[in-house]
Each structure stands twice: as structure tokens, then as C-alpha cells.
Amino acid sequence: QVQLVQSGAEVRRPGSSVKVSCKASGATFGTYTITWVRQTPGLGLEWMGRIIPMFQSTTYAQNFKDRVTITADESTNTIYMEMSSLTSEDTAIYFCARDRWELPDWFDPWGQGTLVTVSS
Amino acid sequence: QSALTQPASVSGSPGQSITISCTGTSSDVGAFDYVSWYQQHPGKVPKLLIFEVTNRPSGVSSRFSGSKSGTTASLTISGLQAEDEAHYYCSSYTSTTTVVVFGGGTKLTVL
């Protein structure tokens, strides 16, 4: 059973970028797929995108495709989510989660979440 | 405004049953049997309760059940317990460029 551990909280200025990591253990690289979801008080849960690490194949939600890049590093069994051009509206908890191989049908387990605060 | 519509809150007494609805459209809930439900306690990580409308992952209590009719999915919790007090979210795969949509969440209060 894959376990996901995310990097720690981040504080960024508006206009900058942030890169959050999600380290997988208990599963061989390429045998799982990872989704990123963020949670805000105002908009609730939002699906951002996913990656099939074996193929470095990504899918993004329309609202995020221009600012988000999801990558995978086989050497460290780690997935990354980088978001650019940050605004205060990007202040949120960012989660990675394993999803179903064929499509983002369900999400289990979830990482512990990474709080990203965007403030001047 | 979330793509899937859930009631903001529901409540019930211990031992009772409650149902949380999740209303979507013909592009998501009505189009696919890819509806899932999550439980989230304050400050905790969401936990998968139901996937593909009716299926429970290993380890999830049989008190949780899911169903769907048309563009509305439902989560039923029977034999309410104090520990069930939490927020509940539905999600669905969608044919739109959003790919996955979530409900706004329902706060369950056990009286």
C-alpha cells in the first residue's frame, strides 16, 4: 500500500512560484498514479491535475493548465507540483493522492497536505 | 461555487440514519458511475468512504453506503455514531475540461 509524505509549509510572495513534493513509499515507481487537489475555505476542494509517472504523462484541469506543472522523479520516488504566478487566492492546503490508473476516479490514500500561504 | 451541489449541513441522533445528496449534471454524475465520497474530520486528511457509486474500500464500515439516481448521488450513514461527526464531500469524474468535480461539502452533526 503506497504511503505519501509531502513537503512542509511554504510562504510565498504574490507573483512568485512554489514547488511542493510528495514522496511515495511502499510502492515501486511506475505502479501508481498521483493526483493533486487543493482545499480552500472559499472554493472547497479543487482537482488540479494528475501524472502517470511511468510515462511522465500529465492531465490538468482547465483552470490550472497554464500555471501548474506536475513531474515525477524515479530516482527518489517523488512527485512534484509546481505552481507559478501565485496570488493570494492560491493560499490553500495542497494534497497529493493516489488515484486509479485509468482515470482520476477515486483518491486514496492522501498525503498529509502542504499549506501554501501567498502574502505580501 | 462548487460544481456538485450538497446540502451545507445535516444532523441526526445516535443510532439514526441520514442521507447526504450530491447533485450534478449530465456531464458528470449523470454520465459516469465514477462518484466517490470522502469523510474529513477537522484538521485531518480526507478519507475515501465510497468509490464508483456503491463500493466500499477495505476497512470502511458497512454503515456507509452509496447510491445514484440520474444526476443525483447519495451517501447514507446508518446507525449514526458520535465519531461520524465530520464534513463529507462527493466527487465525480466529468467529461468537461475540469476533469474532476467536487461538492461543496456537508457538515454532519451528531446530536
Side-chain angles (χ1 to χ4, degrees):
Chain A
Q1 169 78 325
V2 67
Q3 296 178 4
L4 304 172
V5 177
Q6 300 181 221
S7 49
E10 303 271 11
V11 179
R12 290 288 185 272
R13 300 292 191 196
S16 67
S17 63
V18 68
K19 193 171 187 176
V20 179
S21 68
C22 171
K23 184 172 176 60
S25 62
T28 303
F29 184 87
T31 61
Y32 54 84
T33 55
I34 295 293
T35 249
W36 286 89
V37 173
R38 75 177 183 181
Q39 185 169 31
T40 62
L43 293 178
L45 294 166
E46 294 180 277
W47 189 84
M48 302 173 65
R50 74 188 295 252
I51 187 167
I52 304 176
M54 175 180 286
F55 307 119
Q56 295 287 345
S57 172
T58 53
T59 304
Y60 299 101
Q62 182 67 32
N63 287 349
F64 295 99
K65 66 188 301 286
D66 293 332
R67 295 196 297 132
V68 170
T69 303
I70 300 172
T71 56
D73 184 340
E74 181 175 5
S75 66
T76 59
N77 214 8
T78 301
I79 311 301
Y80 297 92
M81 186 284 298
E82 184 170 21
M83 177 179 280
S84 62
S85 303
L86 293 168
T87 73
S88 59
E89 295 183 346
D90 295 316
T91 294
I93 300 174
Y94 290 79
F95 294 100
C96 62
R98 184 180 68 115
D99 64 15
R100 180 183 164 198
W101 184 275
E102 293 83 358
L103 50 83
D105 175 11
W106 44 255
F107 313 115
D108 179 61
W110 296 55
Q112 83 275 22
T114 297
L115 175 62
V116 175
T117 303
V118 183
S119 174
S120 56
Chain B
Q1 185 175 355
S2 300
L4 303 180
T5 301
Q6 298 181 232
S9 62
V10 298
S11 62
S13 300
Q16 288 185 332
S17 295
I18 63 95
T19 297
I20 299 172
S21 62
C22 170
T23 301
T25 70
S26 57
S27 297
D28 40 66
V29 176
F32 306 100
D33 285 337
Y34 296 143
V35 176
S36 54
W37 289 90
Y38 303 86
Q39 176 192 61
Q40 186 177 33
H41 289 102
K44 300 297 185 180
V45 173
K47 173 188 175 183
L48 178 66
L49 292 178
I50 299 288
F51 66 98
E52 291 165 9
V53 180
T54 61
N55 297 298
R56 277 190 313 276
S58 173
V60 173
S61 172
S62 59
R63 298 187 299 107
F64 297 93
S65 62
S67 63
K68 190 185 87 166
S69 178
T71 58
T72 298
S74 299
L75 172 71
T76 297
I77 309 174
S78 60
L80 270 180
Q81 300 178 1
E83 67 203 49
D84 298 332
E85 188 161 291
H87 280 87
Y88 293 83
Y89 297 90
C90 60
S91 77
S92 175
Y93 183 76
T94 169
S95 60
T96 71
T97 55
T98 307
V99 185
V100 174
V101 288
F102 285 93
T106 298
K107 179 176 172 55
L108 169 62
T109 300
V110 180
L111 301 171

mmCIF file of all heavy atoms in Angstrom, chain B residues 7-57:
data_model
loop_
_atom_site.group_PDB
_atom_site.id
_atom_site.type_symbol
_atom_site.label_atom_id
_atom_site.label_comp_id
_atom_site.label_asym_id
_atom_site.label_seq_id
_atom_site.Cartn_x
_atom_site.Cartn_y
_atom_site.Cartn_z
ATOM 1 N N PRO B 7 -26.049 19.575 0.425
ATOM 2 C CA PRO B 7 -26.588 20.412 1.497
ATOM 3 C C PRO B 7 -25.455 20.858 2.397
ATOM 4 O O PRO B 7 -24.492 20.129 2.605
ATOM 5 C CB PRO B 7 -27.549 19.463 2.234
ATOM 6 C CG PRO B 7 -27.048 18.097 1.900
ATOM 7 C CD PRO B 7 -26.489 18.176 0.526
ATOM 8 N N ALA B 8 -25.550 22.076 2.907
ATOM 9 C CA ALA B 8 -24.474 22.598 3.748
ATOM 10 C C ALA B 8 -24.346 21.820 5.044
ATOM 11 O O ALA B 8 -23.241 21.638 5.566
ATOM 12 C CB ALA B 8 -24.707 24.068 4.034
ATOM 13 N N SER B 9 -25.472 21.366 5.578
ATOM 14 C CA SER B 9 -25.426 20.657 6.846
ATOM 15 C C SER B 9 -26.573 19.666 6.955
ATOM 16 O O SER B 9 -27.630 19.846 6.348
ATOM 17 C CB SER B 9 -25.501 21.644 8.016
ATOM 18 O OG SER B 9 -26.720 22.352 7.994
ATOM 19 N N VAL B 10 -26.319 18.619 7.706
ATOM 20 C CA VAL B 10 -27.338 17.640 8.084
ATOM 21 C C VAL B 10 -27.063 17.252 9.521
ATOM 22 O O VAL B 10 -25.946 17.428 10.018
ATOM 23 C CB VAL B 10 -27.344 16.378 7.192
ATOM 24 C CG1 VAL B 10 -27.656 16.728 5.751
ATOM 25 C CG2 VAL B 10 -26.038 15.639 7.308
ATOM 26 N N SER B 11 -28.075 16.730 10.180
ATOM 27 C CA SER B 11 -27.878 16.295 11.560
ATOM 28 C C SER B 11 -28.732 15.077 11.850
ATOM 29 O O SER B 11 -29.724 14.812 11.157
ATOM 30 C CB SER B 11 -28.200 17.415 12.543
ATOM 31 O OG SER B 11 -29.567 17.789 12.430
ATOM 32 N N GLY B 12 -28.331 14.350 12.871
ATOM 33 C CA GLY B 12 -29.084 13.183 13.283
ATOM 34 C C GLY B 12 -28.654 12.743 14.665
ATOM 35 O O GLY B 12 -27.584 13.131 15.143
ATOM 36 N N SER B 13 -29.479 11.949 15.287
ATOM 37 C CA SER B 13 -29.174 11.443 16.625
ATOM 38 C C SER B 13 -28.461 10.107 16.519
ATOM 39 O O SER B 13 -28.585 9.402 15.511
ATOM 40 C CB SER B 13 -30.466 11.287 17.432
ATOM 41 O OG SER B 13 -31.128 12.528 17.567
ATOM 42 N N PRO B 14 -27.715 9.746 17.539
ATOM 43 C CA PRO B 14 -27.034 8.439 17.544
ATOM 44 C C PRO B 14 -28.018 7.304 17.268
ATOM 45 O O PRO B 14 -29.132 7.286 17.816
ATOM 46 C CB PRO B 14 -26.450 8.359 18.954
ATOM 47 C CG PRO B 14 -26.231 9.780 19.340
ATOM 48 C CD PRO B 14 -27.388 10.533 18.733
ATOM 49 N N GLY B 15 -27.603 6.398 16.392
ATOM 50 C CA GLY B 15 -28.435 5.262 16.048
ATOM 51 C C GLY B 15 -29.328 5.493 14.844
ATOM 52 O O GLY B 15 -29.781 4.527 14.213
ATOM 53 N N GLN B 16 -29.574 6.755 14.516
ATOM 54 C CA GLN B 16 -30.416 7.057 13.361
ATOM 55 C C GLN B 16 -29.626 6.914 12.062
ATOM 56 O O GLN B 16 -28.413 6.705 12.067
ATOM 57 C CB GLN B 16 -30.957 8.489 13.468
ATOM 58 C CG GLN B 16 -32.023 8.694 14.519
ATOM 59 C CD GLN B 16 -32.595 10.101 14.470
ATOM 60 O OE1 GLN B 16 -31.932 11.057 14.060
ATOM 61 N NE2 GLN B 16 -33.858 10.233 14.904
ATOM 62 N N SER B 17 -30.359 7.034 10.938
ATOM 63 C CA SER B 17 -29.740 7.052 9.617
ATOM 64 C C SER B 17 -29.919 8.421 8.986
ATOM 65 O O SER B 17 -30.953 9.067 9.202
ATOM 66 C CB SER B 17 -30.367 5.997 8.711
ATOM 67 O OG SER B 17 -30.101 4.698 9.183
ATOM 68 N N ILE B 18 -28.915 8.847 8.226
ATOM 69 C CA ILE B 18 -29.031 10.095 7.489
ATOM 70 C C ILE B 18 -28.560 9.860 6.057
ATOM 71 O O ILE B 18 -27.794 8.932 5.787
ATOM 72 C CB ILE B 18 -28.218 11.238 8.137
ATOM 73 C CG1 ILE B 18 -26.718 10.921 8.137
ATOM 74 C CG2 ILE B 18 -28.715 11.538 9.543
ATOM 75 C CD1 ILE B 18 -25.969 11.509 6.963
ATOM 76 N N THR B 19 -29.028 10.721 5.161
ATOM 77 C CA THR B 19 -28.619 10.651 3.757
ATOM 78 C C THR B 19 -28.171 12.021 3.300
ATOM 79 O O THR B 19 -28.823 13.024 3.568
ATOM 80 C CB THR B 19 -29.769 10.156 2.867
ATOM 81 O OG1 THR B 19 -30.115 8.818 3.245
ATOM 82 C CG2 THR B 19 -29.357 10.160 1.403
ATOM 83 N N ILE B 20 -27.024 12.054 2.613
ATOM 84 C CA ILE B 20 -26.480 13.283 2.050
ATOM 85 C C ILE B 20 -26.574 13.184 0.535
ATOM 86 O O ILE B 20 -26.087 12.207 -0.053
ATOM 87 C CB ILE B 20 -25.018 13.491 2.480
ATOM 88 C CG1 ILE B 20 -24.917 13.601 4.005
ATOM 89 C CG2 ILE B 20 -24.443 14.731 1.820
ATOM 90 C CD1 ILE B 20 -23.482 13.603 4.523
ATOM 91 N N SER B 21 -27.164 14.177 -0.082
ATOM 92 C CA SER B 21 -27.312 14.172 -1.529
ATOM 93 C C SER B 21 -26.193 14.938 -2.207
ATOM 94 O O SER B 21 -25.544 15.805 -1.596
ATOM 95 C CB SER B 21 -28.658 14.776 -1.932
ATOM 96 O OG SER B 21 -28.727 16.123 -1.507
ATOM 97 N N CYS B 22 -25.979 14.627 -3.471
ATOM 98 C CA CYS B 22 -24.914 15.234 -4.273
ATOM 99 C C CYS B 22 -25.458 15.347 -5.699
ATOM 100 O O CYS B 22 -25.534 14.344 -6.409
ATOM 101 C CB CYS B 22 -23.677 14.356 -4.208
ATOM 102 S SG CYS B 22 -22.344 14.774 -5.355
ATOM 103 N N THR B 23 -25.840 16.543 -6.087
ATOM 104 C CA THR B 23 -26.500 16.736 -7.378
ATOM 105 C C THR B 23 -25.555 17.335 -8.401
ATOM 106 O O THR B 23 -24.927 18.364 -8.147
ATOM 107 C CB THR B 23 -27.728 17.632 -7.223
ATOM 108 O OG1 THR B 23 -28.635 17.024 -6.291
ATOM 109 C CG2 THR B 23 -28.434 17.811 -8.558
ATOM 110 N N GLY B 24 -25.454 16.671 -9.538
ATOM 111 C CA GLY B 24 -24.593 17.136 -10.619
ATOM 112 C C GLY B 24 -25.370 17.347 -11.898
ATOM 113 O O GLY B 24 -26.529 17.789 -11.862
ATOM 114 N N THR B 25 -24.734 17.005 -12.999
ATOM 115 C CA THR B 25 -25.338 17.228 -14.315
ATOM 116 C C THR B 25 -25.148 15.997 -15.193
ATOM 117 O O THR B 25 -24.563 14.996 -14.777
ATOM 118 C CB THR B 25 -24.673 18.430 -15.009
ATOM 119 O OG1 THR B 25 -23.334 18.067 -15.364
ATOM 120 C CG2 THR B 25 -24.655 19.660 -14.115
ATOM 121 N N SER B 26 -25.603 16.105 -16.416
ATOM 122 C CA SER B 26 -25.454 15.018 -17.380
ATOM 123 C C SER B 26 -24.013 14.879 -17.874
ATOM 124 O O SER B 26 -23.711 13.954 -18.635
ATOM 125 C CB SER B 26 -26.383 15.241 -18.571
ATOM 126 O OG SER B 26 -26.113 16.489 -19.174
ATOM 127 N N SER B 27 -23.144 15.789 -17.467
ATOM 128 C CA SER B 27 -21.726 15.709 -17.842
ATOM 129 C C SER B 27 -20.883 15.008 -16.791
ATOM 130 O O SER B 27 -19.736 14.656 -17.052
ATOM 131 C CB SER B 27 -21.143 17.106 -18.084
ATOM 132 O OG SER B 27 -21.769 17.743 -19.168
ATOM 133 N N ASP B 28 -21.428 14.843 -15.600
ATOM 134 C CA ASP B 28 -20.638 14.230 -14.532
ATOM 135 C C ASP B 28 -21.403 13.085 -13.863
ATOM 136 O O ASP B 28 -21.319 11.945 -14.326
ATOM 137 C CB ASP B 28 -20.165 15.271 -13.518
ATOM 138 C CG ASP B 28 -21.213 16.343 -13.192
ATOM 139 O OD1 ASP B 28 -22.246 15.985 -12.611
ATOM 140 O OD2 ASP B 28 -20.993 17.516 -13.520
ATOM 141 N N VAL B 29 -22.138 13.368 -12.801
ATOM 142 C CA VAL B 29 -22.835 12.308 -12.067
ATOM 143 C C VAL B 29 -23.773 11.510 -12.973
ATOM 144 O O VAL B 29 -23.849 10.276 -12.879
ATOM 145 C CB VAL B 29 -23.631 12.897 -10.877
ATOM 146 C CG1 VAL B 29 -24.437 11.801 -10.173
ATOM 147 C CG2 VAL B 29 -22.681 13.573 -9.885
ATOM 148 N N GLY B 30 -24.463 12.205 -13.861
ATOM 149 C CA GLY B 30 -25.415 11.534 -14.740
ATOM 150 C C GLY B 30 -24.780 10.733 -15.850
ATOM 151 O O GLY B 30 -25.428 9.883 -16.466
ATOM 152 N N ALA B 31 -23.495 10.995 -16.115
ATOM 153 C CA ALA B 31 -22.833 10.364 -17.255
ATOM 154 C C ALA B 31 -21.969 9.174 -16.874
ATOM 155 O O ALA B 31 -21.746 8.284 -17.702
ATOM 156 C CB ALA B 31 -21.970 11.400 -17.974
ATOM 157 N N PHE B 32 -21.453 9.161 -15.665
ATOM 158 C CA PHE B 32 -20.486 8.129 -15.270
ATOM 159 C C PHE B 32 -20.821 7.545 -13.892
ATOM 160 O O PHE B 32 -21.362 8.241 -13.029
ATOM 161 C CB PHE B 32 -19.072 8.730 -15.177
ATOM 162 C CG PHE B 32 -18.608 9.440 -16.413
ATOM 163 C CD1 PHE B 32 -18.661 10.837 -16.488
ATOM 164 C CD2 PHE B 32 -18.105 8.744 -17.495
ATOM 165 C CE1 PHE B 32 -18.236 11.509 -17.615
ATOM 166 C CE2 PHE B 32 -17.673 9.404 -18.626
ATOM 167 C CZ PHE B 32 -17.735 10.788 -18.700
ATOM 168 N N ASP B 33 -20.437 6.309 -13.707
ATOM 169 C CA ASP B 33 -20.535 5.698 -12.365
ATOM 170 C C ASP B 33 -19.205 5.875 -11.633
ATOM 171 O O ASP B 33 -18.672 4.943 -11.031
ATOM 172 C CB ASP B 33 -20.894 4.214 -12.488
ATOM 173 C CG ASP B 33 -22.363 4.010 -12.859
ATOM 174 O OD1 ASP B 33 -23.169 4.928 -12.605
ATOM 175 O OD2 ASP B 33 -22.680 2.938 -13.404
ATOM 176 N N TYR B 34 -18.686 7.086 -11.708
ATOM 177 C CA TYR B 34 -17.398 7.400 -11.086
ATOM 178 C C TYR B 34 -17.595 8.446 -9.997
ATOM 179 O O TYR B 34 -16.919 9.472 -9.965
ATOM 180 C CB TYR B 34 -16.404 7.906 -12.131
ATOM 181 C CG TYR B 34 -16.040 6.893 -13.192
ATOM 182 C CD1 TYR B 34 -15.841 7.276 -14.511
ATOM 183 C CD2 TYR B 34 -15.892 5.546 -12.874
ATOM 184 C CE1 TYR B 34 -15.510 6.352 -15.482
ATOM 185 C CE2 TYR B 34 -15.559 4.614 -13.839
ATOM 186 C CZ TYR B 34 -15.366 5.023 -15.141
ATOM 187 O OH TYR B 34 -15.042 4.106 -16.100
ATOM 188 N N VAL B 35 -18.543 8.176 -9.105
ATOM 189 C CA VAL B 35 -18.800 9.052 -7.967
ATOM 190 C C VAL B 35 -18.132 8.466 -6.736
ATOM 191 O O VAL B 35 -18.238 7.261 -6.462
ATOM 192 C CB VAL B 35 -20.316 9.201 -7.701
ATOM 193 C CG1 VAL B 35 -20.555 10.039 -6.453
ATOM 194 C CG2 VAL B 35 -21.012 9.815 -8.913
ATOM 195 N N SER B 36 -17.432 9.306 -6.005
ATOM 196 C CA SER B 36 -16.814 8.862 -4.757
ATOM 197 C C SER B 36 -17.177 9.825 -3.632
ATOM 198 O O SER B 36 -17.598 10.963 -3.875
ATOM 199 C CB SER B 36 -15.299 8.732 -4.907
ATOM 200 O OG SER B 36 -14.725 9.930 -5.388
ATOM 201 N N TRP B 37 -17.043 9.323 -2.401
ATOM 202 C CA TRP B 37 -17.376 10.087 -1.203
ATOM 203 C C TRP B 37 -16.191 10.062 -0.238
ATOM 204 O O TRP B 37 -15.517 9.036 -0.091
ATOM 205 C CB TRP B 37 -18.602 9.497 -0.506
ATOM 206 C CG TRP B 37 -19.888 9.708 -1.246
ATOM 207 C CD1 TRP B 37 -20.437 8.883 -2.188
ATOM 208 C CD2 TRP B 37 -20.786 10.809 -1.094
ATOM 209 N NE1 TRP B 37 -21.627 9.415 -2.634
ATOM 210 C CE2 TRP B 37 -21.871 10.584 -1.980
ATOM 211 C CE3 TRP B 37 -20.802 11.949 -0.297
ATOM 212 C CZ2 TRP B 37 -22.951 11.472 -2.088
ATOM 213 C CZ3 TRP B 37 -21.872 12.829 -0.405
ATOM 214 C CH2 TRP B 37 -22.919 12.590 -1.289
ATOM 215 N N TYR B 38 -15.984 11.201 0.442
ATOM 216 C CA TYR B 38 -14.877 11.352 1.376
ATOM 217 C C TYR B 38 -15.377 11.921 2.700
ATOM 218 O O TYR B 38 -16.268 12.763 2.729
ATOM 219 C CB TYR B 38 -13.802 12.274 0.781
ATOM 220 C CG TYR B 38 -13.294 11.760 -0.542
ATOM 221 C CD1 TYR B 38 -13.948 12.077 -1.734
ATOM 222 C CD2 TYR B 38 -12.200 10.902 -0.605
ATOM 223 C CE1 TYR B 38 -13.530 11.565 -2.934
ATOM 224 C CE2 TYR B 38 -11.768 10.382 -1.811
ATOM 225 C CZ TYR B 38 -12.447 10.720 -2.971
ATOM 226 O OH TYR B 38 -12.031 10.196 -4.162
ATOM 227 N N GLN B 39 -14.746 11.456 3.763
ATOM 228 C CA GLN B 39 -15.009 11.963 5.111
ATOM 229 C C GLN B 39 -13.783 12.747 5.557
ATOM 230 O O GLN B 39 -12.652 12.289 5.381
ATOM 231 C CB GLN B 39 -15.252 10.796 6.069
ATOM 232 C CG GLN B 39 -15.451 11.183 7.524
ATOM 233 C CD GLN B 39 -15.385 9.953 8.424
ATOM 234 O OE1 GLN B 39 -14.364 9.260 8.484
ATOM 235 N NE2 GLN B 39 -16.490 9.662 9.117
ATOM 236 N N GLN B 40 -14.014 13.930 6.114
ATOM 237 C CA GLN B 40 -12.886 14.720 6.602
ATOM 238 C C GLN B 40 -13.214 15.286 7.978
ATOM 239 O O GLN B 40 -14.127 16.107 8.124
ATOM 240 C CB GLN B 40 -12.538 15.855 5.640
ATOM 241 C CG GLN B 40 -11.273 16.618 6.031
ATOM 242 C CD GLN B 40 -10.903 17.700 5.031
ATOM 243 O OE1 GLN B 40 -11.772 18.315 4.422
ATOM 244 N NE2 GLN B 40 -9.596 17.949 4.869
ATOM 245 N N HIS B 41 -12.451 14.852 8.961
ATOM 246 C CA HIS B 41 -12.559 15.439 10.291
ATOM 247 C C HIS B 41 -11.725 16.716 10.337
ATOM 248 O O HIS B 41 -10.771 16.856 9.563
ATOM 249 C CB HIS B 41 -12.089 14.452 11.358
ATOM 250 C CG HIS B 41 -13.028 13.305 11.565
ATOM 251 N ND1 HIS B 41 -12.818 12.047 11.054
ATOM 252 C CD2 HIS B 41 -14.212 13.243 12.243
ATOM 253 C CE1 HIS B 41 -13.815 11.252 11.396
ATOM 254 N NE2 HIS B 41 -14.681 11.951 12.118
ATOM 255 N N PRO B 42 -12.049 17.661 11.224
ATOM 256 C CA PRO B 42 -11.328 18.936 11.279
ATOM 257 C C PRO B 42 -9.828 18.752 11.416
ATOM 258 O O PRO B 42 -9.356 18.002 12.282
ATOM 259 C CB PRO B 42 -11.922 19.606 12.524
ATOM 260 C CG PRO B 42 -13.287 19.035 12.641
ATOM 261 C CD PRO B 42 -13.166 17.604 12.190
ATOM 262 N N GLY B 43 -9.097 19.417 10.542
ATOM 263 C CA GLY B 43 -7.647 19.353 10.584
ATOM 264 C C GLY B 43 -7.053 18.058 10.082
ATOM 265 O O GLY B 43 -5.828 17.866 10.167
ATOM 266 N N LYS B 44 -7.888 17.186 9.553
ATOM 267 C CA LYS B 44 -7.407 15.879 9.088
ATOM 268 C C LYS B 44 -7.473 15.787 7.569
ATOM 269 O O LYS B 44 -8.007 16.647 6.883
ATOM 270 C CB LYS B 44 -8.231 14.762 9.727
ATOM 271 C CG LYS B 44 -8.175 14.741 11.238
ATOM 272 C CD LYS B 44 -6.774 14.484 11.753
ATOM 273 C CE LYS B 44 -6.749 14.332 13.262
ATOM 274 N NZ LYS B 44 -5.374 14.085 13.780
ATOM 275 N N VAL B 45 -6.942 14.682 7.075
ATOM 276 C CA VAL B 45 -6.905 14.422 5.646
ATOM 277 C C VAL B 45 -8.203 13.742 5.208
ATOM 278 O O VAL B 45 -8.747 12.937 5.962
ATOM 279 C CB VAL B 45 -5.700 13.507 5.337
ATOM 280 C CG1 VAL B 45 -5.710 13.066 3.889
ATOM 281 C CG2 VAL B 45 -4.401 14.210 5.681
ATOM 282 N N PRO B 46 -8.716 14.054 4.022
ATOM 283 C CA PRO B 46 -9.900 13.333 3.541
ATOM 284 C C PRO B 46 -9.657 11.823 3.472
ATOM 285 O O PRO B 46 -8.558 11.382 3.125
ATOM 286 C CB PRO B 46 -10.120 13.915 2.141
ATOM 287 C CG PRO B 46 -9.528 15.285 2.215
ATOM 288 C CD PRO B 46 -8.329 15.131 3.091
ATOM 289 N N LYS B 47 -10.702 11.085 3.801
ATOM 290 C CA LYS B 47 -10.652 9.627 3.771
ATOM 291 C C LYS B 47 -11.697 9.099 2.801
ATOM 292 O O LYS B 47 -12.865 9.497 2.857
ATOM 293 C CB LYS B 47 -10.927 9.058 5.175
ATOM 294 C CG LYS B 47 -11.054 7.539 5.224
ATOM 295 C CD LYS B 47 -11.521 7.080 6.597
ATOM 296 C CE LYS B 47 -11.765 5.578 6.624
ATOM 297 N NZ LYS B 47 -12.299 5.123 7.941
ATOM 298 N N LEU B 48 -11.276 8.216 1.916
ATOM 299 C CA LEU B 48 -12.200 7.629 0.934
ATOM 300 C C LEU B 48 -13.177 6.695 1.630
ATOM 301 O O LEU B 48 -12.767 5.764 2.319
ATOM 302 C CB LEU B 48 -11.416 6.872 -0.129
ATOM 303 C CG LEU B 48 -12.234 6.156 -1.205
ATOM 304 C CD1 LEU B 48 -12.980 7.145 -2.078
ATOM 305 C CD2 LEU B 48 -11.320 5.270 -2.072
ATOM 306 N N LEU B 49 -14.469 6.929 1.424
ATOM 307 C CA LEU B 49 -15.525 6.089 2.015
ATOM 308 C C LEU B 49 -16.196 5.188 0.980
ATOM 309 O O LEU B 49 -16.509 4.035 1.254
ATOM 310 C CB LEU B 49 -16.610 6.964 2.639
ATOM 311 C CG LEU B 49 -16.294 7.786 3.872
ATOM 312 C CD1 LEU B 49 -17.520 8.599 4.262
ATOM 313 C CD2 LEU B 49 -15.841 6.888 5.025
ATOM 314 N N ILE B 50 -16.480 5.767 -0.184
ATOM 315 C CA ILE B 50 -17.206 5.086 -1.251
ATOM 316 C C ILE B 50 -16.565 5.446 -2.580
ATOM 317 O O ILE B 50 -16.218 6.603 -2.798
ATOM 318 C CB ILE B 50 -18.691 5.519 -1.283
ATOM 319 C CG1 ILE B 50 -19.421 5.169 0.017
ATOM 320 C CG2 ILE B 50 -19.412 4.921 -2.492
ATOM 321 C CD1 ILE B 50 -19.683 3.691 0.219
ATOM 322 N N PHE B 51 -16.400 4.476 -3.464
ATOM 323 C CA PHE B 51 -15.935 4.771 -4.812
ATOM 324 C C PHE B 51 -16.833 4.066 -5.825
ATOM 325 O O PHE B 51 -17.469 3.064 -5.508
ATOM 326 C CB PHE B 51 -14.464 4.374 -5.002
ATOM 327 C CG PHE B 51 -14.191 2.891 -4.927
ATOM 328 C CD1 PHE B 51 -14.070 2.146 -6.086
ATOM 329 C CD2 PHE B 51 -14.043 2.251 -3.699
ATOM 330 C CE1 PHE B 51 -13.800 0.782 -6.026
ATOM 331 C CE2 PHE B 51 -13.777 0.897 -3.621
ATOM 332 C CZ PHE B 51 -13.651 0.151 -4.790
ATOM 333 N N GLU B 52 -16.872 4.647 -7.015
ATOM 334 C CA GLU B 52 -17.700 4.120 -8.103
ATOM 335 C C GLU B 52 -19.131 3.860 -7.617
ATOM 336 O O GLU B 52 -19.684 2.769 -7.803
ATOM 337 C CB GLU B 52 -17.037 2.883 -8.707
ATOM 338 C CG GLU B 52 -15.764 3.282 -9.449
ATOM 339 C CD GLU B 52 -14.842 2.121 -9.783
ATOM 340 O OE1 GLU B 52 -15.225 0.947 -9.599
ATOM 341 O OE2 GLU B 52 -13.720 2.405 -10.223
ATOM 342 N N VAL B 53 -19.680 4.859 -6.997
ATOM 343 C CA VAL B 53 -21.079 4.980 -6.553
ATOM 344 C C VAL B 53 -21.409 4.144 -5.326
ATOM 345 O O VAL B 53 -21.986 4.652 -4.367
ATOM 346 C CB VAL B 53 -22.068 4.634 -7.691
ATOM 347 C CG1 VAL B 53 -23.513 4.770 -7.189
ATOM 348 C CG2 VAL B 53 -21.853 5.546 -8.893
ATOM 349 N N THR B 54 -21.067 2.846 -5.371
ATOM 350 C CA THR B 54 -21.564 1.948 -4.322
ATOM 351 C C THR B 54 -20.486 1.147 -3.593
ATOM 352 O O THR B 54 -20.801 0.449 -2.627
ATOM 353 C CB THR B 54 -22.548 0.925 -4.923
ATOM 354 O OG1 THR B 54 -21.843 0.138 -5.909
ATOM 355 C CG2 THR B 54 -23.741 1.608 -5.580
ATOM 356 N N ASN B 55 -19.249 1.231 -4.032
ATOM 357 C CA ASN B 55 -18.209 0.342 -3.494
ATOM 358 C C ASN B 55 -17.487 0.929 -2.276
ATOM 359 O O ASN B 55 -17.124 2.106 -2.278
ATOM 360 C CB ASN B 55 -17.177 0.043 -4.579
ATOM 361 C CG ASN B 55 -17.793 -0.692 -5.752
ATOM 362 O OD1 ASN B 55 -18.294 -1.792 -5.607
ATOM 363 N ND2 ASN B 55 -17.765 -0.064 -6.917
ATOM 364 N N ARG B 56 -17.280 0.080 -1.272
ATOM 365 C CA ARG B 56 -16.557 0.479 -0.072
ATOM 366 C C ARG B 56 -15.146 -0.078 -0.099
ATOM 367 O O ARG B 56 -14.955 -1.277 -0.335
ATOM 368 C CB ARG B 56 -17.239 -0.049 1.204
ATOM 369 C CG ARG B 56 -18.379 0.753 1.738
ATOM 370 C CD ARG B 56 -18.777 0.229 3.118
ATOM 371 N NE ARG B 56 -18.892 -1.214 3.152
ATOM 372 C CZ ARG B 56 -19.978 -1.873 2.787
ATOM 373 N NH1 ARG B 56 -21.031 -1.209 2.352
ATOM 374 N NH2 ARG B 56 -20.006 -3.203 2.851
ATOM 375 N N PRO B 57 -14.143 0.773 0.162
ATOM 376 C CA PRO B 57 -12.777 0.241 0.280
ATOM 377 C C PRO B 57 -12.680 -0.675 1.494
ATOM 378 O O PRO B 57 -13.482 -0.582 2.435
ATOM 379 C CB PRO B 57 -11.931 1.503 0.484
ATOM 380 C CG PRO B 57 -12.779 2.641 0.048
ATOM 381 C CD PRO B 57 -14.184 2.227 0.306
#
